[in-house]
C-alpha cells in the first residue's frame, strides 16, 4: 500500500496476511500442477517422437535392397555388404543379389534386372526397391533406371566404383560385348549419360576413389545430380569389404 495512506487496523492486516499466504500457497500448487502437466506433455512428446523415429527407421529398413555385381562378379561379392545392412536394421528377407552374364550384353542384363526387381516387389509387397551396384553393375543399373524407366521402382541408387562413364581398362576385354559397352565413348555409354543422368525421384549417390585402379579415369563413377562421395583411398575390389563405406551406403539407403 502507498505510504501516504492511513495504517489499517491490526485485524485487517491479519486478514490480508492470511489471504496473501493462501494466495501464495494456491499459486505454488497451481505452478506445481502446471509443471507436472508440462513434464507429462514433454514426456508424451518425446515418447511420440521416439515412436515416430522408430517407425520411420523400421519403414526405411523394410525397403528391399537389390545388389548388382560387377564384371565377372557374383552374388558372393555381397556377403560383407549384406552383413552391414543387417547390422543397420535390415532383415535377410529384404536383401537380394541379382546375377547376370558378364560376357553377354548389358542391355539384356538390364532387362533381366527389370524382371528381377519386379519379382522382388511381388515377393515383398514393396512399391520400390533400393539398388546398390559395383563396377559394371553401374551400367546395368543406369540403363534400367534411365532407358527402361526403372527409376519409378527405385527409391535409392548407390553406385560403388561404378563404370558409369566407362573405363579404359575395358580395353583388355573388348572381345566381349559388355566390355565394348563399358569402354568410354561407346554408344551404350552415350545413351545412359546423355541428358539427365539421375532421372525421376530416385535418390542417387556414388562412391569413388583415386586409388581405384580399375575405373580409369576414377571420376567416371560420378553422376550429375547425385551425391558424389570421394573416398580418400580405396581399391576397386576393396570396397566390397570396406565396412565404413558400406555403412555409409546403408545409412544413405535408410535416409
Amino acid at each position: 500500500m502507498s505510504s501516504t495512506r492511513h495504517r489499517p487496523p491490526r485485524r485487517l492486516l491479519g486478514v490480508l496476511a492470511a489471504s496473501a499466504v493462501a494466495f501464495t500457497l494456491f499459486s505454488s500448487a497451481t505452478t506445481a500442477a502446471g509443471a507436472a502437466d508440462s513434464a507429462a506433455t514433454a514426456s508424451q512428446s518425446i515418447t511420440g517422437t521416439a515412436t515416430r523415429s522408430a517407425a520411420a527407421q523400421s519403414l526405411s529398413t523394410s525397403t528391399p535392397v537389390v545388389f548388382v555385381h560387377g564384371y565377372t562378379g557374383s552374388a558372393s561379392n555381397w556377403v560383407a555388404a549384406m552383413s552391414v545392412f543387417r547390422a543397420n536394421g535390415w532383415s535377410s528377407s529384404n536383401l537380394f543379389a541379382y546375377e547376370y552374364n558378364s560376357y553377354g550384353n548389358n542391355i539384356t542384363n538390364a532387362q533381366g534386372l527389370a524382371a528381377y526387381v519386379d519379382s522382388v516387389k511381388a515377393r515383398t509387397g514393396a512399391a520400390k526397391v533400393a539398388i546398390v551396384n559395383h563396377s559394371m553393375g553401374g551400367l546395368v543399373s543406369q540403363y534400367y533406371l534411365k532407358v527402361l524407366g526403372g527409376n519409378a521402382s527405385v527409391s535409392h541408387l548407390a553406385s560403388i566404383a561404378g563404370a558409369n562413364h566407362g573405363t579404359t581398362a575395358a580395353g583388355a576385354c573388348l572381345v566381349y560385348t559388355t566390355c565394348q559397352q563399358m569402354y568410354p565413348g561407346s554408344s551404350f555409354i552415350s545413351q545412359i549419360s546423355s541428358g539427365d543422368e539421375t532421372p525421376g525421384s530416385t535418390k542417387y549417390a556414388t562412391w569413388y576413389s583415386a586409388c581405384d585402379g580399375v575405373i580409369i579415369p576414377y571420376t567416371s563413377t560420378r553422376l550429375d545430380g547425385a551425391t558424389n562421395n570421394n573416398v580418400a583411398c580405396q581399391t576397386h575390389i576393396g570396397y566390397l569389404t570396406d565396412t565404413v563405406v558400406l555403412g555409409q551406403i546403408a545409412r544413405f539407403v535408410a535416409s
Side-chain angles (χ1 to χ4, degrees):
M1 293 184 180
S2 170
S3 59
T4 59
R5 295 185 181 180
H6 294 292
R7 181 176 296 176
R10 289 185 178 180
R11 173 181 253 174
L12 179 56
L13 285 175
V15 172
L16 291 175
S19 298
V21 170
F23 177 77
T24 301
L25 291 176
F26 176 77
S27 297
S28 299
T30 302
T31 302
D37 290 342
S38 297
T41 301
S43 176
Q44 291 169 359
S45 177
I46 293 171
T47 302
T49 300
T51 301
R52 287 192 297 274
S53 297
Q57 177 68 10
S58 176
L59 179 62
S60 63
T61 56
S62 67
T63 300
V65 181
V66 175
F67 296 91
V68 184
H69 65 76
Y71 181 69
T72 73
S74 68
S76 64
N77 291 161
W78 300 111
V79 172
M82 289 188 178
S83 177
V84 170
F85 269 73
R86 285 194 296 271
N88 278 272
W90 269 266
S91 165
S92 294
S93 61
N94 274 326
L95 300 175
F96 303 86
Y98 170 61
E99 294 191 315
Y100 59 87
N101 180 6
S102 291
Y103 311 106
N105 187 311
N106 280 323
I107 294 176
T108 302
N109 293 335
Q111 292 169 339
L113 176 58
Y116 189 80
V117 167
D118 286 344
S119 70
V120 168
K121 288 167 58 182
R123 177 175 173 178
T124 61
K128 293 186 177 184
V129 306
I131 289 180
V132 177
N133 67 57
H134 177 246
S135 194
M136 193 172 75
L139 301 187
V140 177
S141 303
Q142 286 299 101
Y143 194 93
Y144 165 54
L145 266 73
K146 182 169 181 175
V147 181
L148 302 181
N151 62 83
S153 293
V154 179
S155 63
H156 298 72
L157 182 134
S159 188
I160 310 171
N164 300 323
H165 294 95
T167 172
T168 57
C173 56
L174 291 177
V175 64
Y176 300 114
T177 299
T178 49
C179 288
Q180 295 169 17
Q181 294 168 329
M182 189 163 44
Y183 199 81
S186 70
S187 59
F188 186 94
I189 295 291
S190 296
Q191 190 171 12
I192 63 173
S193 61
S194 62
D196 189 359
E197 293 187 341
T198 52
S201 60
T202 303
K203 293 182 179 180
Y204 296 78
T206 72
W207 281 258
Y208 65 103
S209 174
C211 297
D212 187 292
V214 173
I215 301 301
I216 306 169
Y218 71 95
T219 52
S220 172
T221 298
R222 294 172 58 93
L223 291 170
D224 288 340
T227 299
N228 297 297
N229 301 281
N230 190 347
V231 179
C233 191
Q234 184 54 275
T235 63
H236 192 67
I237 300 301
Y239 280 111
L240 298 175
T241 54
D242 187 332
T243 56
V244 173
V245 169
L246 294 173
Q248 293 172 359
I249 293 168
R251 289 188 289 277
F252 162 70
V253 173
S255 66

